[in-house]
Amino acid sequence: MNILITGGTAFVSRTAAAHFARRGDSVTVLNRGSRPQPEGVTSIIADRMALGERLRGRRFDAVLDITAYTEEHVKALLDSGVQFDDYIFISSSAVYNDAGDCVFKEDAPCGENAVWGAYGANKRKAELYLRAHCPQAYVLRPPYLYGEWNNIYREAFVFDCADADRPFYLPREGEMRLQFFHAEDLCRFISLLLERHPAERVYNVGNPQAVTVREWVTLCYRAAGKEPTFVSVSGEVPQRSYFCFHDYAYYLDVSRMASLMSDTLPLDEGLRRSYKFYRRYPDCIYRRNPYLVNIAELKLRD
């Protein structure tokens, strides 16, 4: 296939570019050229908001839009003159209304919520614009994505703690649930959509089972060959000041996805792969969150 991927140099879009290039597809990536380009792809260096004539008349079997965050981003690409057969937009589970600890199906109410704010609202507006102007497009809503090339300080934060033999500061008793999806599984599901063209156009995607925070941290430590010791932190302390996820439990119903792809990478195996990558490419991670500084202050207060 001839595929256009927006991005291609960081985490999910880079994983997708590498995945489809390995598969033997002709992959073109559209980005601003601010990072090294992946191997085996053709690059179009441009800002998607100022494309000019760069894509006019170009035809692709599929557009994988991984870097659109707003309605304007989608509009700019659709107005560029690019031609395509399939369009797949990577949205987010953040589009669902904040309803506490609940299960979201694809037809659940969407809109801005207290946790994700403008990010979720803008993703929803992007979805609506795309569906209005390209009704055959597919929309995918993942939970927390993880895997190699993940530059977000999530599992890497836990790996840092494990490698340093630190105790892990756990929100309360660590019973909040988290749901994950490996970036390679996302690519596998995209491949199935392009091959089978199912009638449904919106899909929650993710591992069928959620895990507690305590279980996830334990799996991260074990990927590093360690066993964690935990310190429970009171709910009075803002969770995001010392932990890498919001205090927000939800669960995606992925039965629609499972009807096409029932197998997903086991979380323990995916985290072992992530740890190997973390050790090999330590500079890939953006360690901008002051979790360890805030934890040190917690210890002083203790």
Side-chain angles (χ1 to χ4, degrees):
M1 299 184 70
N2 186 21
I3 298 176
L4 174 67
I5 296 177
T6 62
T9 59
F11 190 22
V12 179
S13 61
R14 186 184 184 99
T15 299
H19 175 92
F20 288 98
R22 285 196 307 270
R23 202 178 76 151
D25 297 305
S26 174
V27 176
T28 300
V29 296
L30 170 65
N31 58 64
R32 290 173 292 184
S34 59
R35 298 186 180 97
Q37 304 294 310
E39 295 182 2
V41 305
T42 300
S43 299
I44 297 177
I45 306 301
D47 188 320
R48 70 182 294 155
M49 298 303 294
L51 287 168
E53 300 296 308
R54 301 298 301 276
L55 290 177
R56 187 166 303 280
R58 296 284 300 270
R59 182 165 192 84
F60 298 92
D61 297 309
V63 171
L64 309 186
D65 196 352
I66 299 173
T67 61
Y69 293 96
T70 66
E71 174 183 336
E72 290 75 20
H73 287 159
V74 173
K75 184 178 187 301
L77 198 58
L78 293 182
D79 289 350
S80 69
V82 66
Q83 300 174 30
F84 53 86
D85 294 327
D86 286 300
Y87 194 116
I88 297 179
F89 172 51
I90 308 305
S91 184
S92 169
S93 58
V95 300
Y96 292 114
N97 279 345
D98 183 12
D101 191 356
C102 62
V103 178
F104 292 125
K105 294 186 177 182
E106 286 87 351
D107 59 357
C110 294
E112 185 170 348
N113 66 55
V115 173
W116 295 108
Y119 169 75
N122 285 334
K123 277 285 192 178
R124 179 57 176 163
K125 290 177 183 177
E127 286 186 7
L128 292 173
Y129 186 89
L130 177 61
R131 296 298 307 283
H133 293 82
C134 184
Q136 78 275 20
Y138 289 103
V139 172
L140 307 186
R141 297 171 179 167
Y144 294 114
L145 289 162
Y146 79 108
E148 295 87 338
W149 293 107
N150 187 0
N151 52 3
I152 304 172
Y153 200 35
R154 288 176 178 160
E155 56 263 32
F157 165 59
V158 188
F159 295 154
D160 278 350
C161 293
D163 276 2
D165 292 315
R166 298 188 185 102
F168 196 85
Y169 278 63
L170 200 64
R172 296 178 291 278
E173 297 304 315
E175 295 304 312
M176 187 184 79
R177 295 185 302 168
L178 300 171
Q179 191 174 15
F180 293 93
F181 198 44
H182 197 280
E184 283 286 350
D185 279 339
L186 178 67
C187 295
R188 289 175 55 228
F189 187 67
I190 290 171
S191 297
L192 287 174
L193 293 180
L194 296 176
E195 292 166 7
R196 301 183 186 181
H197 290 99
E200 297 287 357
R201 297 289 157 172
V202 180
Y203 289 87
N204 289 339
V205 294
N207 291 351
Q209 299 297 324
V211 295
T212 67
V213 169
R214 180 182 290 269
E215 290 168 337
W216 177 72
V217 172
T218 299
L219 290 176
C220 288
Y221 268 70
R222 287 177 180 171
K226 305 290 181 66
E227 288 291 332
T229 57
F230 292 108
V231 177
S232 293
V233 179
S234 164
E236 297 176 0
V237 180
Q239 182 169 306
R240 281 288 283 166
S241 69
Y242 65 93
F243 185 60
C244 47
F245 292 100
H246 290 285
D247 186 6
Y248 177 57
Y250 70 97
Y251 183 68
L252 296 180
D253 181 318
V254 296
S255 55
R256 184 179 290 181
M257 178 203 80
S259 68
L260 297 173
M261 188 180 83
S262 58
D263 62 314
T264 57
L265 185 68
L267 185 56
D268 57 347
E269 181 179 343
L271 288 171
R272 284 194 295 268
R273 293 186 189 182
S274 294
Y275 181 72
K276 289 180 181 178
F277 179 87
Y278 153 89
R279 292 302 300 267
R280 185 175 180 183
Y281 298 100
D283 295 334
C284 174
I285 313 300
Y286 293 163
R287 291 176 171 84
R288 294 177 294 185
N289 304 82
Y291 302 136
L292 295 177
V293 173
N294 293 335
I295 286 170
E297 293 177 354
L298 282 174
K299 292 172 71 174
L300 286 174
R301 288 205 298 272
D302 292 343

